[in-house]
Amino acid sequence: MLILRAPDVGDLSRPFWEGCREHELRLQRCLACLRFIHHPERECPFCHSAEFRFEAVEGVGVVDTFTEIHRTFVPEYRGAEPYIVGWIALAGHEIVRMFGRIVQSSSAQVAIGSPVHVAFDTVPGFGEVPYFVLG
């Protein structure tokens, strides 16, 4: 797997990372307009409410857009090139996209609209981090 730097966890993102430890994708949901939001925000970008809860989502979707990284400037990723990252449009949730790594056997297999599902990888000293797998 790709070597990762441990993410910074704050009060705002803690429920997301707690879900990952349980191999569950949890996204922030506005209690006023009921829309899902990712990355976690202090205020809903749609209705400006500050009332949220985190809810588990299925973790399936399609590749909305992607890029293959051949040269990275992030030290923790050096030597792991090439790798693919992209925006995933999560199924059943209008407007919710999640950025993540896409794992496959060949970059030629990844295309806009490719179906993906979430999986989790352990980062030593941190815990579980989500990524997406084709299929």
Side-chain angles (χ1 to χ4, degrees), residues 75-121:
E76 292 83 3
Y77 289 85
R78 286 195 187 123
E81 304 96 329
Y83 59 92
I84 296 175
V85 295
W87 284 100
I88 307 304
L90 295 174
H93 306 290
E94 59 179 74
I95 310 176
V96 176
R97 295 186 319 156
M98 182 175 174
F99 188 78
R101 181 169 43 109
I102 302 169
V103 176
Q104 75 308 316
S105 59
S106 161
S107 63
Q109 295 175 324
V110 179
I112 292 173
S114 295
V116 293
H117 63 274
V118 73
F120 297 88
D121 190 20

Side-chain angles (χ1 to χ4, degrees), residues 25-89:
L25 190 58
R26 295 180 191 160
L27 298 183
Q28 189 181 45
R29 188 170 201 174
C30 176
L31 295 177
C33 70
L34 301 179
R35 288 185 167 157
F36 282 94
I37 301 157
H38 188 75
H39 298 307
E41 299 284 348
R42 297 201 184 283
E43 180 179 283
C44 177
F46 304 103
C47 73
H48 307 292
S49 172
E51 299 296 319
F52 300 102
R53 71 173 169 238
F54 278 76
E55 293 183 11
V57 297
E58 194 174 349
V60 297
V62 296
V63 175
D64 192 38
T65 188
F66 70 96
T67 189
E68 185 172 9
I69 308 295
H70 290 271
R71 181 175 176 218
T72 184
F73 296 97
V74 180
E76 292 83 3
Y77 289 85
R78 286 195 187 123
E81 304 96 329
Y83 59 92
I84 296 175
V85 295
W87 284 100
I88 307 304

